[in-house]
Amino acid sequence: MTRKQRRLYFVLLGMLALGAATALVLTAINDTLVYFYSPTDIKAKHVGTDRRLRVGGLVEQGSVVKQGEIVRFVVTDLTTTLPVTFKGVLPDLFREGQGVVAEGKMDGAGTFQASEVLAKHDEKYMPKEVTEALKQSGRWQEEEGKK
Amino acid sequence: MTRLSEIIRRDLRLALRQGSDSIMVVTFFVLTVVLFPFGLGPETNLLERTSAGILWVTALLASMLSLDRLFLADYEDGSLELLALTPTALELLVIGKVVAHWLTTGLPLIVAAPVLAVLLQMNGDGFATLVLTMLLGTPTLSLIGAIGAALVLGARRGGVLLSLLVLPLYVPVLIFGVGAIDAAVQDLPSKAQLLVLGGMLLAALPLAPWAAAAALRQALE
Amino acid sequence: MHRFANPARFLRLAAAIQPWTAAATVLLIGAGLYFGLIASPADYQQGQTVRIMYVHVPSAWLGMACYSTMAIASAMALIWKHPLADLIGKSAAPIGAAFTFLCLVTGSLWGKPMWGTWWAWDARLTSMLILFFLYLGYMALANAFDDPTRGAKASAVLALAGFVNVPVIKFSVDWWNTLHQPASVTKIGMPSIDPSMLLPLLLMGVGFTTFFVTVLLVRVRSEIMASKIRAIRLMQIHSTPGAVASGEVVG
Amino acid sequence: MTEGWPSSSFSADGLACVRGERVVFAQLDFQLASGEALLLLGPNGSGKSSLLRLLAGLLKPAAGRLSWNGAAVADDREVHAARIHYVGHHDAIKPVLTVLENLRFWARLHDPDSGDEAARMALERFGLWRLHEVPGKLLSAGQKRRLNLSRLLGAPAPVWLLDEPSVALDKASVKTLEAVIAEHRARGGMVILSTHADVDLPGAQALHLDRFAPAPAAAVEAWI
Amino acid sequence: MSSLATYFSMGGYASYVWTSYALTAVVMVGLAVSTWRGMKARESELKVLQDLTPGRRGRSKDTQG
């Protein structure tokens, strides 16, 4: 084998490794890597009470109940719902119908005890008047499903 | 290929006769991990939950500890010039040195990790995944580290600089290493994370020696 | 004598462009501030805090654009050995670091009222933070050698290694955690952002970019002069034998 | 080893070297044929070491070209590396390896087929065979230098690039080195050598590097 | 005046909005000033050196240009 051939061989080997690396990563992505779970995932997995995890979804319309410092609301992914309790100050962006990520644990009664609630805002930016005009003309579409 | 084995044998022999490096790395690993229960309190739940993270972060720091020696000794005594003048690809020699480095530092870490996992009360389901992630992850650390080690040759305060350069690049390995173990402990599939770790190793295998060899040539100019 | 391109041509070009970019910067940012702070409405959900976007988003753009500039300059420096490319890389780094820092801080100031936290270990935030560390590493490495050309070459290799790694880091933290909203302006044709808000954002974005170009040009000029100074010093050392001994070189 | 090297030529054409941001030398030419030697002369900083590193391939010339039998050396770095031996200022000796291990490593790296016999002959030639099991850390400066020089014989290469090889050597060892160089040239090898002390190279060409130093203004001009 | 006060209060988010803008201004102006100063310092240093170096007079227009 001449040096030129050997170099070509090395380059091909390197390309092969890179190709295989890409293939592996793509397979992994297809295996769905998720970080926070939807209420459906949680129902399906029967998560234990000792594990901290994150739940993401939308705050269900009309579900927010405030009792002093304690807030109760329901997170939905439009198929399954999960009741959440949280004690603390909510972010200003926390609204019904908006995306939310809660971190905490499940309790024995099937309620999610959040120790932290983060609002997830969408990529829409517009003045109030415009959204109202859109709503009146019926072209306004509420956020559907979770992000 | 004989040259590759020649340089691996020589570096292993050097490590064996000089001794200290492997033992120091493992000692650092063990000592630092043992510090965590003191810092976090002996609460079993907390230790169990954080064990994957603690082990991986500490292993990462430990493998970085010996990194600045990777090329420095050869650089200082003129061996590196002669290595660069060997009638073969410098990239191949870099691979040889990285292999030797991994055998003397990465492998002992992998052996020590399960023992420490027991001390940290890690769920038994995670042990196999822990070893597997470290088998896939620590060679990647050595490979990426080789780039950093080659870059800081001749720099002022090279050792500190090295950690600044290399640690940000270690983040992906850390994320997927810990992610895989956490998933395994929770009885979730960890295949995806392991695939990504393998992918990163495969990508680093050609790219890192190439970049490190380029850096070495710069250092010798 | 050898194939070094003439930096004098660059200096002439820079001098010609510079007043225009500087003027454009003042005008664009001035207009951007007017539209951003006064003439644009508040957001339907985020209220007045949306105005932070007009400095936050352009900072983020520039933080990433500077790194790309550095990586491209580094590749050119390594392939064609053009000394000007080294200087561009070295000059761009502090600007990029400054804007990445701004992006992180203004993001934090925006996140506190809106998300309810100063800092979240979210994908975007974390990858920006790592980008900031990459900048710090680059600058530290570029200045860690006694011979500035060696520093330039080493940091060029680092910039490229980092450039390969940035998508990997991005991908890994994306998987790791996600909270930040997707980009608003990338959907060509139908930005989900109202024109009244898009205008100040774009004005500021372009203004920040011309600011970057202006500062970069001045910094490169400065670096060219610095290397001239070193060259003259070196010439004095080597052309006057014994000068080193009598200590008269250090001027 | 016994048969000679094929007749070849090694030449430089318009070579320029920039170190840091300074032009060290420019427009440097030389031509060397089999059996010839080139002696590099010049004051400190005139670029003798830089030229040797450049010839070895450790440095890239800022301009000009190096050729071997008319073909550019830069085309194939590995082929060029196979035909040179470079002895620099550092001795590249590992303190924990024995003399023989040190030499054998470099010999086998240069030529994987090189045998123990060649290593033994090389060490004997430089008077180090009786120390072959002694670790490198116990060697004196002169012994280290001799060990480094014995690489020249451990694996053969036609071109020797020697940067002040006589440093730390006693008179007898310098004589040995001269004899080894003479034999190498007799077999058709080439030697390029820089020295302050006297190494006797009969019939060597001399290259005065200070004559290739650029005018002071030009040195700066390159950067302006 | 009260409309101005409402304007500066930024719907209650004054501290966040104004801090963001102030910080951006400080960093950008600081970057511009330090860059400009560094350039001027090197320019004058180079001038001094070139005036000291024989045969280099009259070339300083390059550096200004």
Side-chain angles (χ1 to χ4, degrees):
Chain A
M1 198 158 42
T2 68
R3 282 170 207 282
K4 276 245 164 63
Q5 276 174 322
R6 186 159 19 163
R7 194 168 306 163
L8 192 70
Y9 183 65
F10 276 138
V11 169
L12 284 178
L13 216 63
M15 296 295 223
L16 201 71
L18 286 181
T22 321
L24 282 184
V25 173
L26 289 179
T27 332
I29 291 174
N30 284 340
D31 270 15
T32 56
L33 291 159
V34 288
Y35 188 71
F36 62 80
Y37 301 106
S38 67
T40 312
D41 293 337
I42 289 180
K43 278 264 156 62
K45 286 201 178 86
H46 304 289
V47 189
T49 53
D50 54 339
R51 192 132 297 280
R52 271 179 83 80
L53 46 95
R54 282 169 217 210
V55 178
L58 299 173
V59 182
E60 197 164 62
Q61 292 288 350
S63 72
V64 180
V65 182
K66 288 188 184 172
Q67 297 171 325
E69 270 215 306
I70 297 167
V71 188
R72 291 174 204 283
F73 56 94
V74 175
V75 172
T76 174
D77 58 3
L78 303 178
T79 49
T80 319
T81 57
L82 179 74
V84 178
T85 354
F86 172 65
K87 187 184 168 191
V89 183
L90 286 169
D92 292 11
L93 212 61
F94 179 88
R95 298 220 178 112
E96 293 182 351
Q98 273 289 314
V100 73
V101 177
E103 190 179 337
K105 291 177 187 175
M106 294 297 293
D107 67 6
T111 305
F112 189 78
Q113 302 284 350
S115 57
E116 197 179 358
V117 170
L118 300 171
K120 188 166 159 55
H121 76 106
D122 57 36
E123 71 274 31
K124 290 198 189 84
Y125 298 93
M126 46 193 65
K128 213 176 178 74
E129 308 85 68
V130 177
T131 61
E132 271 156 16
L134 280 174
K135 274 177 185 159
Q136 273 165 14
S137 68
R139 282 188 292 143
W140 177 255
Q141 291 174 342
E142 282 298 338
E143 199 74 5
E144 287 192 35
K146 63 165 182 139
K147 272 257 127 51
Chain B
M1 282 308 144
T2 29
R3 290 196 179 99
L4 182 67
S5 72
E6 197 69 33
I7 194 152
I8 296 174
R9 288 217 317 259
R10 174 247 203 180
D11 271 25
L12 286 181
R13 192 177 286 167
L14 284 175
L16 223 67
R17 294 205 188 150
Q18 279 159 346
S20 54
D21 258 24
S22 309
I23 299 162
M24 287 229 300
V25 167
V26 175
T27 315
F28 173 85
F29 185 44
V30 174
L31 268 178
T32 316
V33 167
V34 168
L35 281 182
F36 274 90
F38 295 117
L40 296 172
E43 192 197 328
T44 317
N45 263 345
L46 185 64
L47 280 179
E48 185 198 341
R49 206 172 63 234
T50 47
S51 56
I54 294 175
L55 284 174
W56 254 103
V57 169
T58 320
L60 197 140
L61 293 176
S63 82
M64 208 183 60
L65 201 63
S66 58
L67 216 51
D68 66 325
R69 307 269 310 136
L70 184 54
F71 297 115
L72 192 62
D74 283 341
Y75 177 74
E76 282 170 348
D77 72 7
S79 299
L80 201 58
E81 289 176 349
L82 298 182
L83 287 176
L85 292 176
T86 301
T88 188
L90 187 55
E91 286 81 356
L92 201 67
L93 302 182
V94 170
I95 293 178
K97 287 197 75 76
V98 170
V99 168
H101 175 261
W102 180 76
L103 287 175
T104 50
T105 59
L107 208 55
L109 288 184
I110 298 175
V111 175
V115 182
L116 293 171
V118 173
L119 290 184
L120 292 177
Q121 323 280 350
M122 186 192 264
N123 186 328
D125 300 339
F127 279 43
T129 318
L130 169 68
V131 174
L132 204 55
T133 55
M134 293 198 86
L135 271 173
L136 289 170
T138 47
T140 317
L141 297 184
S142 293
L143 283 164
I144 296 175
I147 307 177
L151 283 175
V152 300
L153 288 178
R156 294 182 294 263
R157 294 187 301 281
V160 188
L161 186 58
L162 180 63
S163 53
L164 186 59
L165 304 187
V166 161
L167 281 180
L169 303 182
Y170 276 178
V171 170
V173 179
L174 176 67
I175 288 176
F176 287 100
V178 176
I181 302 170
D182 274 345
V185 168
Q186 291 178 58
D187 260 348
L188 298 170
S190 59
K191 189 178 137 218
Q193 288 91 325
L194 290 172
L195 282 177
V196 175
L197 276 178
M200 288 194 289
L201 174 58
L202 275 179
L205 217 47
L207 291 179
W210 179 55
L216 287 180
R217 285 196 200 102
Q218 312 278 12
L220 290 172
E221 270 205 11
Chain C
M1 171 168 71
H2 37 79
R3 60 203 167 85
F4 283 165
N6 190 358
R9 201 187 312 150
F10 171 83
L11 287 172
R12 271 197 300 277
L13 192 71
I17 301 174
Q18 216 168 279
W20 295 101
T21 55
T25 306
V26 173
L27 283 176
L28 284 163
I29 292 187
L33 282 175
Y34 170 73
F35 284 105
L37 285 173
I38 297 163
S40 71
D43 185 61
Y44 75 114
Q45 283 192 322
Q46 310 204 19
Q48 303 285 359
T49 56
V50 76
R51 301 191 196 282
I52 298 178
M53 173 171 75
Y54 308 134
V55 287
H56 170 72
V57 172
S59 299
W61 283 346
L62 270 188
M64 290 183 277
C66 279
Y67 200 86
S68 311
T69 310
M70 259 164 55
I72 294 167
S74 299
M76 281 165 56
L78 288 176
I79 297 168
W80 292 297
K81 312 253 183 270
H82 199 298
L84 210 53
D86 275 335
L87 298 184
I88 290 174
K90 195 182 172 197
S91 307
I95 313 176
F99 279 108
T100 311
F101 171 75
L102 273 182
C103 168
L104 288 170
V105 176
T106 55
S108 185
L109 284 165
W110 195 6
K112 180 60 186 165
M114 287 300 108
W115 290 342
T117 175
W118 290 108
W119 180 263
W121 289 100
D122 147 80
R124 284 270 193 111
L125 277 69
T126 313
S127 48
M128 253 351 225
L129 184 66
I130 296 172
L131 184 67
F132 184 59
F133 291 146
L134 287 177
Y135 274 121
L136 293 188
Y138 179 94
M139 292 193 290
L141 187 64
N143 295 314
F145 296 93
D146 296 326
D147 172 7
T149 48
R150 164 93 177 91
K153 281 172 181 162
S155 53
V157 174
L158 178 71
L160 286 180
F163 198 56
V164 175
N165 247 282
V166 164
V168 181
I169 292 168
K170 183 76 185 69
F171 161 69
S172 62
V173 292
D174 259 344
W175 167 81
W176 180 53
N177 198 346
T178 175
L179 181 68
H180 200 289
Q181 72 277 19
S184 292
V185 193
T186 46
K187 290 181 215 154
I188 300 165
M190 52 153 293
S192 48
I193 178 167
D194 191 78
S196 62
M197 297 177 180
L198 188 60
L199 177 69
L201 182 60
L202 288 181
L203 282 173
M204 291 295 259
V206 181
F208 274 41
T209 311
T210 53
F211 173 83
F212 163 64
V213 173
T214 315
V215 174
L216 183 67
L217 289 178
V218 178
R219 291 192 88 94
V220 173
R221 267 172 75 186
S222 184
E223 289 291 336
I224 290 177
M225 283 190 260
S227 59
K228 254 193 246 187
I229 291 169
R230 281 193 299 270
I232 293 177
R233 291 254 166 83
L234 278 169
M235 182 201 76
Q236 289 173 335
I237 293 170
H238 289 278
S239 64
T240 46
V244 182
S246 60
E248 62 182 70
V249 211
V250 188
Chain D
M1 275 295 286
T2 41
E3 77 270 27
W5 298 103
S7 167
S8 323
S9 77
F10 188 31
S11 61
D13 194 12
L15 226 49
C17 174
V18 177
R19 301 295 292 136
E21 288 163 344
R22 183 175 74 98
V23 180
V24 182
F25 55 76
Q27 295 297 340
L28 186 144
D29 306 313
F30 71 78
Q31 192 152 27
L32 209 61
S34 290
E36 289 188 329
L38 184 68
L39 189 60
L40 307 182
L41 300 167
N44 278 335
S46 61
K48 299 190 294 289
S49 292
S50 296
L51 177 58
L52 282 166
R53 293 173 70 83
L54 207 144
L55 297 180
L58 287 170
L59 289 183
K60 304 242 174 341
R65 119 188 178 132
L66 275 175
S67 353
W68 181 261
N69 290 339
V73 156
D75 289 351
D76 199 332
R77 201 189 60 78
E78 290 166 32
V79 171
H80 184 61
R83 61 183 162 236
I84 58 150
H85 266 312
Y86 169 77
V87 176
H89 291 289
H90 298 290
D91 288 326
I93 288 163
K94 291 290 165 195
V96 291
L97 297 186
T98 68
V99 166
L100 185 62
E101 282 168 341
N102 266 304
L103 174 62
R104 239 184 0 204
F105 171 68
W106 291 119
R108 289 178 56 84
L109 217 51
H110 193 85
D111 175 11
D113 302 325
S114 76
D116 288 354
E117 191 54 24
R120 196 179 66 84
M121 302 254 288
L123 288 177
E124 271 178 356
R125 190 66 205 262
F126 283 95
L128 289 170
W129 180 246
R130 62 189 175 83
L131 300 174
H132 75 276
E133 282 185 322
V134 170
K137 60 186 161 201
L138 298 179
L139 298 184
S140 71
Q143 286 164 333
K144 279 183 182 161
R145 174 101 317 197
R146 268 147 60 200
L147 175 52
N148 192 5
L149 286 169
S150 64
R151 281 195 297 117
L152 299 172
L153 302 176
V159 182
W160 291 0
L161 306 168
L162 312 178
D163 199 355
E164 303 193 6
S166 56
V167 168
L169 289 187
D170 55 22
K171 278 225 173 70
S173 305
V174 174
K175 285 272 172 273
T176 312
L177 176 64
E178 284 170 355
V180 167
I181 290 175
E183 284 163 29
H184 177 62
R185 288 173 64 191
R187 277 197 305 273
M190 301 174 195
V191 175
I192 300 175
L193 180 145
S194 78
T195 184
H196 281 306
D198 293 320
V199 177
D200 195 24
L201 286 179
Q205 304 177 38
L207 191 68
H208 291 270
L209 275 160
D210 40 343
R211 290 184 195 153
F212 298 96
V220 182
E221 214 66 36
W223 266 89
I224 294 176
Chain E
M1 276 328 269
S2 77
S3 73
L4 207 61
T6 26
Y7 171 70
F8 278 111
S9 76
M10 279 288 160
Y13 296 122
S15 52
Y16 300 113
V17 176
W18 294 118
T19 317
S20 297
Y21 276 80
L23 211 75
T24 309
V26 167
V27 169
M28 283 173 76
V29 170
L31 196 62
V33 168
S34 73
T35 301
W36 187 254
R37 278 205 183 152
M39 205 265 289
K40 283 289 160 196
R42 277 164 183 183
E43 203 172 63
S44 55
E45 189 182 356
L46 188 61
K47 221 178 159 73
V48 171
L49 271 177
Q50 283 180 339
D51 288 346
L52 285 176
T53 315
R56 307 268 325 143
R57 264 168 226 275
R59 280 192 57 95
S60 56
K61 70 172 171 21
D62 265 12
T63 60
Q64 279 150 16

